[in-house]
């Protein structure tokens, strides 16, 4: 039985990846700084292989020695790291927290990985924000051009992991996916927030009028790609995980409101764009597609319908919850 450790297992992407590897009958150790979230945000809660999952509450900033001990004892074949300070706009307010987590803790963790004899592959889940705004489709070799403290912190963390791979042979692969969505996503994110605003009749804010173009991808497609790369990705290589369909954020919000049966009023939703926001991320995923048999299986419309059903099914609970991002150091 393969063993996979998932850092940031409480995150949206992390929790779905746990669900995916449990279905693949891996034994899984989940590690997150907070206690396990509610079942509505934990897709693996009802997994038939849940007995193969164990959870550890620990922070990559403050509990690294405990994490080191747990990983050495667990003997993972794969370690997949979703743990990061990930909000872009808020990184302008407390940039030191982003650097402490995404750079300093990341550097400490790279030393721990070298102490795990069982490790076959480390998947460093990162972001297209390191490229800045991309006017056209870009490949994995594109030069970094970060435009926010968040993006700078991730670029620095990526560069550190790259030199560790070159220096010590750390078996790390890098993944970048843009605008991942699906059931279980945090309520402050644009798609679940749009559904909630439409269903509950609350105001919706659309930064910059929603004219930025994006390539939205369903979380199940990202989870499949992540496991494939853990198994067969080439150490030292970067891989883009993306669809080939571009839409504006406004178009996605309009689709969400339409599913909820509500007319979207763009003139009332428009607001100023956030500082440093990139106009678009156009990730060419040809490398991943040609190196493996991976392809996207869930369309934007199908994924939106799944997410709408999830929001509607938990509407009473979500109506009582905050939709705002709460910063944790």
């Amino acid at each position: 039985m393969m063993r996979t450790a998932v850092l940031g297992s409480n995150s949206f992407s992390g929790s779905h990846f746990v669900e995916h590897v449990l279905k693949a009958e891996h034994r899984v150790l989940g590690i997150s700084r907070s206690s396990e979230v509610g079942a509505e945000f934990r897709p693996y809660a009802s997994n038939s292989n849940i007995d193969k999952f164990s959870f550890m509450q620990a922070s990559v900033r403050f509990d690294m020695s405990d994490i080191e001990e747990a990983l050495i004892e667990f003997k993972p074949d794969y370690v997949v790291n979703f743990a990061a300070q990930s909000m872009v706009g808020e990184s302008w307010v407390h940039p030191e927290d982003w650097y402490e987590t995404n750079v300093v803790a990341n550097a400490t963790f790279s030393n721990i990985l070298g102490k795990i004899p069982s490790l076959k592959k480390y998947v460093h889940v990162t972001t297209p924000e390191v490229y800045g705004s991309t006017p056209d489709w870009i490949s994995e070799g594109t030069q970094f051009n970060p435009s926010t403290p968040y993006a700078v912190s991730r670029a620095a963390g990526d560069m550190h992991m790259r030199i560790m791979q070159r220096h010590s042979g750390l078996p790390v692969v890098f993944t970048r996916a843009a605008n991942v969505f699906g059931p279980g996503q945090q309520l402050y994110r644009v798609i679940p927030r749009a559904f909630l605003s439409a269903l509950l009749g609350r105001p919706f804010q659309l930064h910059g009028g929603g004219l930025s173009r994006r390539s939205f991808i369903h979380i199940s497609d990202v989870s499949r790609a992540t496991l494939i790369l853990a198994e067969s990705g080439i150490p030292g290589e970067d891989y883009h995980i993306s669809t080939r369909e571009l839409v504006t954020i406004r178009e996605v919000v309009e689709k969400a409101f339409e599913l909820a049966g509500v007319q979207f009023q763009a003139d009332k939703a428009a607001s100023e764009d956030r500082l440093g926001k990139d106009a678009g991320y156009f990730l060419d995923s040809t490398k991943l597609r040609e190196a493996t048999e991976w392809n996207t299986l869930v369309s934007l419309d199908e994924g939106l319908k799944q997410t709408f059903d999830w929001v509607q099914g938990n509407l009473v609970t979500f109506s009582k919850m905050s939709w705002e991002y709460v910063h944790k150091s």
Side-chain angles (χ1 to χ4, degrees):
M1 183 181 296
M2 302 303 289
R3 290 174 172 263
T4 300
V6 181
L7 275 70
S9 61
N10 272 346
S11 67
F12 168 54
S13 295
S15 63
H16 275 271
F17 184 70
V18 169
E19 162 76 354
H20 185 70
V21 290
L22 282 176
K23 285 182 178 178
E25 299 190 342
H26 289 213
R27 187 166 295 282
V28 183
L29 171 64
I31 302 173
S32 271
R33 64 184 173 187
S34 303
S35 58
E36 282 190 288
V37 292
E40 62 272 17
F41 295 102
R42 192 160 33 99
Y44 61 83
S46 58
N47 191 290
S48 60
N49 292 323
I50 192 63
D51 61 309
K52 295 181 175 65
F53 177 76
S54 57
F55 177 78
M56 174 184 181
Q57 184 176 351
S59 165
V60 295
R61 279 186 63 180
F62 306 114
D63 306 305
M64 196 64 83
S65 60
D66 294 335
I67 292 173
E68 177 180 352
E69 182 179 341
L71 288 175
I72 292 174
E73 180 181 351
F74 182 64
K75 299 180 177 63
D77 298 281
Y78 308 122
V79 173
V80 183
N81 189 2
F82 296 92
Q85 291 282 10
S86 60
M87 288 298 286
V88 180
E90 287 75 4
S91 69
W92 293 99
V93 182
H94 297 288
E96 66 277 11
D97 287 338
W98 271 252
Y99 296 128
E100 286 286 350
T101 301
N102 299 342
V103 184
V104 178
N106 185 62
T108 303
F109 189 57
S110 67
N111 288 333
I112 291 173
L113 290 167
K115 300 177 184 179
I116 306 174
S118 61
L119 185 66
K120 293 182 174 69
K121 199 74 58 65
Y122 168 60
V123 180
H124 186 71
V125 178
T126 180
T127 174
E129 297 261 357
V130 298
Y131 299 126
S133 187
T134 61
D136 204 347
W137 295 98
I138 60 170
S139 65
E140 286 80 356
T142 301
Q143 184 175 348
F144 289 177
N145 185 30
S147 57
T148 65
Y150 165 69
V152 170
S153 73
R154 298 311 302 269
D158 293 1
M159 292 168 72
H160 174 78
M161 282 296 177
R162 188 172 304 286
I163 63 170
M164 292 301 294
Q165 192 278 325
R166 292 171 181 168
H167 172 71
S168 62
L170 184 70
V172 55
V173 298
F174 302 84
T175 68
R176 293 188 175 89
N179 297 92
V180 184
F181 78 102
Q185 193 168 28
Q186 301 94 332
L187 302 184
Y188 54 79
R189 296 295 188 180
V190 63
I191 290 176
R193 193 182 184 103
F195 282 129
L196 286 168
S197 297
L199 290 169
L200 297 173
R202 298 185 187 177
F204 180 82
Q205 193 175 63
L206 194 57
H207 295 294
L211 301 180
S212 301
R213 290 194 298 165
R214 296 289 190 266
S215 178
F216 286 84
I217 184 167
H218 193 268
I219 183 59
S220 64
D221 287 328
V222 176
S223 294
R224 282 191 303 105
T226 304
L227 180 55
I228 288 170
L229 291 172
E231 295 171 337
S232 61
I234 299 173
E237 294 290 319
D238 301 50
Y239 297 88
H240 291 166
I241 306 172
S242 179
T243 70
R244 291 166 168 160
E245 178 185 4
L246 292 176
V247 294
T248 66
I249 295 175
R250 174 174 168 170
E251 288 171 334
V252 171
V253 171
E254 288 174 341
K255 286 175 177 286
F257 271 69
E258 183 179 354
L259 275 171
V262 177
Q263 180 68 38
F264 178 63
Q265 297 179 319
D267 57 330
K268 295 183 179 180
S271 66
E272 290 186 8
D273 228 336
R274 62 171 170 79
L275 182 63
K277 183 177 179 181
D278 297 321
Y281 306 118
F282 309 148
L283 303 180
D284 185 344
S285 56
T286 300
K287 179 178 178 178
L288 170 63
R289 295 169 189 269
E290 292 184 349
T292 72
E293 296 181 355
W294 179 86
N295 200 352
T296 52
L297 299 180
V298 183
S299 68
L300 175 60
D301 288 342
E302 182 183 352
L304 286 172
K305 180 61 169 63
Q306 290 180 15
T307 309
F308 173 69
D309 291 342
W310 168 73
V311 171
Q312 194 172 46
N314 293 282
L315 189 60
V316 173
T317 299
F318 294 163
S319 67
K320 300 173 183 177
M321 299 174 66
S322 171
W323 305 354
E324 302 301 323
Y325 168 75
V326 177
H327 178 61
K328 300 176 182 177
S329 61

